[in-house]
């Protein structure tokens, strides 16, 4: 397995060819589905799964490299919260121009961390992997914090507190990059965004059965909110500037600045 630290437009450029050879067929079966968990089976196909499920994913990883190059500050920490296999950490390592910074990648799924450990080798800056619930994590001296499709898995009631702690742990000029699957602002908008997301997944080779089984598996696990809810919550958490820099159907990425 030879992971690459270069980010680009395809998952194989993000993680290296070997990792992306495993095609996601996890939901290619009929019958009852269990709630989605980040276990070894998911970790094995994760690069293929997320790249074919999240429109704009590779672009976001690419831009995390650029945002890091722009906003990372010397002698600070960079956090990747809910790191999975570490794609955002790889991007931060590629974009980071300073020695003396620390990249900290946090996840509470052991199977994901085990795979991340294999990916995060031979990279320009070391990444410290931490097995912890991000709701328990103390964030400090941070210039860049990434929550790339992680907040959506927390109970809604836990989200404001985490954002407040991130805000308090950022140095002046620091940023939070928050990417989320969202609900439309109106039922009509939601229908359109969901239809287009499913069209995207079909175009990526998923069958209607796989799409509906995965949706059922995520129903009690992933709780999307409206973009306006996210923007309001970030403002209330004390971020001074909050800007949506990318939207691809029902997937958005926001930069929130101190
Ligand atoms: C990427 N950011 O490739 N504490 C720690 N980790 C958590 C928690 C929690 N409370 N809840 C969920 N996770 C990655 C993709 S995936 C998104 C992130 C997706 C972790 C969970 O174990 C999983 O690895 C990750 O958040 C979400 O840029 O699969 O749609």
């Amino acid at each position: 397995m030879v992971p690459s630290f270069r980010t680009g437009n395809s998952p194989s450029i993000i993680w290296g060819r070997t990792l992306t050879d495993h095609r996601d067929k996890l939901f290619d079966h009929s019958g009852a589905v269990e709630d989605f968990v980040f276990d070894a089976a998911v970790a094995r196909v994760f690069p293929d799964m997320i790249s074919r499920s999240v429109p704009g994913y590779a672009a976001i990883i690419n831009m995390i490299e650029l945002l890091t190059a722009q906003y990372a500050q010397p002698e600070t920490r960079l956090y990747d919260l809910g790191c999975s296999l570490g794609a955002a950490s790889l991007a931060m390592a590629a974009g980071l121009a300073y020695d003396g910074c620390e990249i900290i990648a946090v996840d509470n799924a052991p199977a994901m961390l085990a795979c991340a450990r294999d990916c995060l080798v031979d990279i320009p800056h070391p990444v410290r992997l931490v097995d912890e619930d991000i709701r328990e994590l103390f964030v400090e001296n941070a210039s860049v914090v990434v929550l790339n499709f992680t907040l959506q898995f927390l109970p809604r009631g836990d989200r404001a507190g985490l954002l407040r702690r991130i805000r308090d742990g950022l140095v002046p000029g620091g940023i939070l990059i928050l990417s989320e699957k969202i609900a439309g602002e109106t039922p009509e908008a939601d229908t359109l965004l969901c239809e287009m997301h499913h069209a995207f997944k079909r175009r990526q080779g998923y069958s209607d059965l796989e799409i509906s089984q995965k949706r059922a598996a995520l129903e009690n696990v992933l709780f999307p909110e409206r973009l306006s809810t996210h923007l309001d919550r970030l403002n209330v958490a004390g971020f001074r500037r909050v800007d949506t820099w990318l939207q691809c159907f029902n997937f958005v990425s926001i930069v929130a600045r101190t």
Side-chain angles (χ1 to χ4, degrees), residues 38 46 57 82 84 107-109 132-134 148-150 152 154:
F38 290 96
F46 189 75
Y57 177 75
S84 295
D107 208 289
N108 66 350
E132 193 167 337
D133 190 316
I134 56 173
N148 207 36
F149 303 109
T150 305
Q152 60 196 19
L154 299 192

Side-chain angles (χ1 to χ4, degrees), residues 14-35:
I14 299 169
W15 280 287
R17 172 66 59 195
T18 316
L19 273 173
T20 53
D21 280 349
H22 302 300
R23 192 153 174 95
D24 169 27
K25 300 298 284 175
L26 292 184
F27 293 96
D28 193 13
H29 62 84
S30 50
V33 283
E34 314 243 301
D35 281 350

Side-chain angles (χ1 to χ4, degrees), residues 156-171:
R156 287 191 181 86
D158 292 347
R159 297 179 185 188
L162 173 63
L163 295 181
R164 181 81 228 179
R165 277 187 293 108
I166 291 172
R167 166 67 191 86
D168 291 346
L170 281 164
V171 298

Side-chain angles (χ1 to χ4, degrees), residues 5-18:
F5 59 81
R6 289 182 54 79
T7 57
N9 289 322
S10 82
S12 63
I13 296 175
I14 299 169
W15 280 287
R17 172 66 59 195
T18 316

Side-chain angles (χ1 to χ4, degrees), residues 15 36 38 46 49-50 54 57 61 80-88 106-109 112 132-135 146-150 152-154 222:
W15 280 287
F36 189 88
F38 290 96
F46 189 75
M49 172 186 276
I50 197 156
V54 177
Y57 177 75
I61 294 298
D80 179 4
L81 304 183
C83 63
S84 295
L85 304 202
V106 186
D107 208 289
N108 66 350
M112 302 301 272
E132 193 167 337
D133 190 316
I134 56 173
R135 291 169 293 179
V146 172
L147 271 172
N148 207 36
F149 303 109
T150 305
Q152 60 196 19
F153 290 103
L154 299 192
L222 191 166

Side-chain angles (χ1 to χ4, degrees), residues 106-224:
V106 186
D107 208 289
N108 66 350
M112 302 301 272
L113 283 174
C115 266
R117 201 158 286 120
D118 289 337
C119 299
L120 298 171
V121 291
D122 282 341
I123 54 178
H125 297 271
V127 175
R128 179 150 68 90
L129 280 169
V130 177
D131 181 352
E132 193 167 337
D133 190 316
I134 56 173
R135 291 169 293 179
E136 310 291 321
L137 187 77
F138 184 58
V139 177
E140 63 177 340
N141 189 34
S143 58
V144 180
V145 177
V146 172
L147 271 172
N148 207 36
F149 303 109
T150 305
L151 194 72
Q152 60 196 19
F153 290 103
L154 299 192
R156 287 191 181 86
D158 292 347
R159 297 179 185 188
L162 173 63
L163 295 181
R164 181 81 228 179
R165 277 187 293 108
I166 291 172
R167 166 67 191 86
D168 291 346
L170 281 164
V171 298
I175 60 164
L176 165 67
I177 303 165
L178 172 66
S179 310
E180 285 278 294
K181 181 178 189 181
I182 55 161
E185 295 292 325
T186 63
E188 295 75 20
D190 198 58
T191 301
L192 179 130
L193 295 176
C194 287
E195 277 175 5
M196 289 314 299
H197 179 218
H198 293 164
F200 171 84
K201 289 190 72 165
R202 275 195 295 274
R203 177 69 65 89
Q204 296 297 316
Y206 284 114
S207 66
D208 287 335
L209 174 70
E210 289 175 288
I211 293 169
S212 78
Q213 293 289 75
K214 173 90 176 281
R215 191 173 46 187
L218 286 172
E219 203 153 13
N220 301 316
V221 177
L222 191 166
F223 312 107

